[in-house]
Amino acid sequence: MAKDNKYNFSKEEKELSGGSSVIKGAAIIGIAGIVVKILGAIFRIPLSNWMGDLGMSYYQVAYNIYLALIVMSTAGFPVAISKLVSENIARGHYNNAHKVFKTAVKIMAVLGGVSAAICFFGAGILARAVGNSEAAGAVRAIAPALLFVPILASFRGFFQGRQNMNPTAISEIIEQLFRVGFGFALTLLFLSTSLPNAAAGASFGATAGSLAALAFMFLVYYMHRHVIKREIDRTDGYLEDTKNIIKKILVIAIPIVIGAEIIPLMFSLDMGIVMNRLQDTGWTELESQKLYGLMGAYCNSLTNMPEFLIQAIAISMVPAISRASARGNRKDVESSIGIGYRLTTLIAFPAMVGLMVLAKPIFRLLFPLKVDEAMLAIPTFLVMCISIVPLALYETSTGTLQAIGKQIVPVKNVAIGAAVKIVFTYILVGIKSINVVGAAMSSIIAFMVAFVLNELAVKKYTGTKIDFVKTYLKPCVASLIMGAGAYGTHFLLSKFMPNSLSTALAILAGVIIYIIMVVVIKVATPEDLRELPKGEKINALISKFVKWEA
């Protein structure tokens, strides 16, 4: 099999290919994700203050339609492109890897064009269909993004396939910066005219952001065009038929798209079951709406926070595993899978424990005007926090299976998990003393079932055995100690400090304690940290305080 060093690639070519490990790739995408999330929060809060509930309803209609259409174009295609590009590069077929990319751009342009046309010309019909005809302008303003984002996804998939996560990370930040900047400017510009116009201005932010990010990715690609050409000239002339490439892309992408739609569909069905079962057990319609509303208003946004970091791990795992698998390097496949799982538990366990032990002070900090109502959501929230770990492991195992060409397997497994959730939601919510908490309990069961089935498949197809102590036990122990420290810090400080300051210091204490525990009980090793950006410097710093062989 072809090796990269066979061709004596230059420094430029090595930089283009990236060669990021799972850890480094996840760190790069994860940091970008944090920035994007912060910018997203900054965007939403002023919009709500400027436009109020009515104006935000127009914006939300447009954004929900956008999300529904964009998932069809982007959910599975970046993974497919990344996987096929990395496999071709592993075999030395740089010319075919580039053909995969060019073919994908054409497919995505067609899909994006159709989606954009439906959204733009059918804006009025779509807005009326969801009962909010005034949102038509906002829907029309966001329509061009449906063309730009799929093409952007092709470029991201191409660079991810080369294990170069920097362009994706930077483009995500650029996209969000332009979205926020244009969204703010146009909202304020049109606010004096009407709320529908202001909402359209806010929606156009997504269009401006996606166009700016696409321009950046094209610039990166253009700057490296001579390197790409030199790679192609140096490698063999192997080229697949275009129809065969399209077939391969669709075979990988379509099951992933279906899988991506199952979970939202599961929660949509779940909502109907919860509302009906609550009323079956004596709650009024209004009481049922309020009980279910507690989850959406106070729980979902917090428990979903770690998800973007987990997705960063999955994105990094796909090209790393695909490349190792294409080379027949079983050791590297197992190593990448093991690292991916460990990174997942390193994030998921402390997120779960930290949110649980500081739930009440965090709610008081975030919802000062609705404290009494927010406190009613605590029992549901605590149960939902437990689902963070199985959901994270499900997503990581799904990324693993996608990387080895078994993308249909996690679709079947999540469908089984969804069916299990529906059954348990019906049973548990029907117990009046449990009520809406039963929906949270059923989510834990559903994601655990899906993960266990995925894990059995990973073991079957790769033979990988996950180190239980290193992957599960050590992060769990470190997180529990962190949780005790964070809780104790808040308990003591809250006696003479305001909640906002004592909560912030408790979170900081938890982070410090967790980092110390990661080092002391060696949840992470010097070899792991070496793969991080500036990893050698991190190891050197740790070595000054503890025995740590860097």
Side-chain angles (χ1 to χ4, degrees):
M1 293 185 182
K3 304 285 184 184
D4 286 352
N5 59 12
K6 169 184 173 181
Y7 304 104
N8 298 315
F9 289 140
S10 67
K11 182 180 178 182
E12 279 183 310
E13 291 164 323
K14 290 177 180 177
E15 287 176 354
L16 172 61
S17 290
S20 297
S21 67
V22 174
I23 296 175
K24 187 175 288 186
I28 292 167
I29 298 291
I31 291 167
I34 292 170
V35 175
V36 168
K37 282 283 185 181
I38 292 171
L39 289 171
I42 291 171
F43 185 56
R44 284 266 178 171
I45 295 169
L47 282 187
S48 299
N49 288 319
W50 294 339
M51 298 195 297
D53 292 343
L54 185 59
M56 285 301 291
S57 74
Y58 304 146
Y59 172 80
Q60 197 60 47
V61 165
Y63 197 67
N64 286 343
I65 291 172
Y66 165 77
L67 290 177
L69 291 172
I70 207 68
V71 73
M72 300 300 293
S73 303
T74 61
F77 286 90
V79 174
I81 298 162
S82 172
K83 175 176 167 54
L84 293 175
V85 167
S86 62
E87 287 176 350
N88 276 283
I89 288 175
R91 297 186 177 105
H93 303 322
Y94 283 84
N95 46 354
N96 201 57
H98 195 246
K99 185 174 181 179
V100 168
F101 164 63
K102 291 192 295 182
T103 303
V105 169
K106 293 173 185 176
I107 295 172
M108 299 300 267
V110 171
L111 288 174
V114 171
S115 296
I118 290 171
C119 201
F120 187 85
F121 295 107
I125 297 171
L126 291 169
R128 286 193 297 274
V130 296
N132 199 334
S133 59
E134 293 292 322
V139 174
R140 198 171 287 114
I142 209 170
L146 292 164
L147 171 61
F148 303 140
V149 170
I151 300 173
L152 175 60
S154 299
F155 279 89
R156 287 172 173 167
F158 174 66
F159 285 105
Q160 287 165 15
R162 305 178 69 97
Q163 291 185 266
N164 186 351
M165 304 299 167
N166 291 322
T168 293
I170 296 170
S171 70
E172 286 178 350
I173 294 172
I174 289 173
E175 181 178 6
Q176 194 73 326
L177 282 171
F178 273 78
R179 178 190 171 211
V180 171
F182 272 82
F184 278 171
L186 293 175
T187 299
L188 291 173
L189 180 65
F190 294 122
L191 194 59
S192 60
T193 62
S194 70
L195 282 178
N197 288 343
S203 295
F204 188 78
T207 295
S210 59
L211 180 58
L214 179 58
F216 168 77
M217 292 297 276
F218 183 79
L219 178 63
V220 173
Y221 175 81
Y222 182 78
M223 288 172 62
H224 289 96
R225 70 194 185 286
H226 61 288
V227 181
I228 294 170
K229 185 178 184 302
R230 191 155 65 237
E231 286 177 341
I232 293 170
D233 291 342
R234 287 186 182 183
T235 55
D236 58 59
Y238 173 78
L239 282 174
E240 285 184 277
D241 180 69
T242 302
K243 289 182 179 179
N244 193 43
I245 290 175
I246 293 172
K247 181 181 176 181
K248 283 185 175 181
I249 291 173
L250 295 177
V251 165
I252 296 170
I254 289 174
I256 297 173
V257 171
I258 294 170
E261 294 284 8
I262 287 176
I263 292 179
L265 179 62
M266 174 180 78
F267 282 109
S268 295
L269 291 171
D270 195 57
M271 179 175 65
I273 295 169
V274 170
M275 296 296 289
N276 286 314
R277 289 298 285 161
L278 286 172
Q279 292 172 53
D280 288 344
T281 54
W283 300 93
T284 66
E285 183 177 349
L286 181 60
E287 287 172 335
S288 300
Q289 290 171 348
K290 288 183 176 180
L291 279 172
Y292 192 81
L294 292 174
M295 293 174 67
Y298 303 109
C299 303
N300 289 335
S301 58
L302 285 172
T303 54
N304 288 339
M305 281 179 62
E307 190 174 359
F308 69 92
L309 290 172
I310 305 303
Q311 289 171 347
I313 296 168
I315 288 171
S316 300
M317 287 176 71
V318 170
I321 295 172
S322 296
R323 184 176 292 194
S325 181
R327 289 173 172 165
N329 192 331
R330 182 172 174 176
K331 183 179 178 181
D332 281 357
V333 169
E334 292 183 4
S335 174
S336 294
I337 293 171
I339 290 170
Y341 275 61
R342 282 165 54 204
L343 282 176
T344 299
T345 54
L346 271 169
I347 295 167
F349 275 115
M352 176 188 73
V353 174
L355 287 171
M356 290 180 77
V357 299
L358 295 177
K360 288 184 178 180
I362 287 173
F363 272 40
R364 290 193 185 99
L365 175 65
L366 296 178
F367 311 110
L369 302 179
K370 296 279 187 179
V371 172
D372 292 339
E373 187 175 280
M375 289 301 108
L376 296 175
I378 292 292
T380 304
F381 178 72
L382 293 176
V383 175
M384 288 180 69
C385 286
I386 299 172
S387 69
I388 290 173
V389 172
L391 174 57
L393 289 167
Y394 157 74
E395 290 187 344
T396 300
S397 57
T398 293
T400 302
L401 290 167
Q402 290 168 356
I404 61 173
K406 301 296 180 182
Q407 57 274 3
I408 294 176
V409 174
V411 175
K412 293 178 180 176
N413 293 342
V414 76
I416 293 170
V420 169
K421 175 170 174 57
I422 289 169
V423 171
F424 275 91
T425 295
Y426 185 88
I427 295 169
L428 294 171
V429 176
I431 302 172
K432 191 165 185 177
S433 59
I434 297 177
N435 57 74
V436 75
V437 179
M441 292 177 175
S442 66
S443 293
I444 298 170
I445 298 168
F447 290 126
M448 185 59 74
V449 167
F451 163 62
V452 169
L453 292 173
N454 273 3
E455 178 55 22
L456 291 172
V458 169
K459 189 173 181 180
K460 175 183 176 182
Y461 293 116
T462 70
T464 303
K465 294 180 180 179
I466 303 299
D467 187 322
F468 179 83
V469 172
K470 190 182 289 187
T471 305
Y472 300 109
L473 185 59
K474 284 187 175 183
C476 183
V477 170
S479 298
L480 291 173
I481 294 171
M482 173 214 73
Y487 180 84
T489 300
H490 182 269
F491 180 79
L492 293 173
L493 296 181
S494 62
K495 295 183 180 300
F496 55 89
M497 284 185 180
N499 179 67
S500 56
L501 184 57
S502 60
T503 302
L505 290 174
I507 293 171
L508 179 61
V511 171
I512 294 171
I513 292 168
Y514 187 66
I515 291 172
I516 292 170
M517 293 309 303
V518 164
V519 172
V520 170
I521 65 176
K522 291 196 173 179
V523 178
T525 65
E527 290 73 24
D528 293 335
L529 297 188
R530 196 173 288 120
E531 297 296 332
L532 286 168
K534 308 295 182 183
E536 293 289 358
K537 291 183 178 180
I538 295 171
N539 274 330
L541 179 64
I542 294 172
S543 297
K544 293 180 180 180
F545 300 98
V546 296
K547 187 178 180 182
W548 187 262
E549 295 182 7

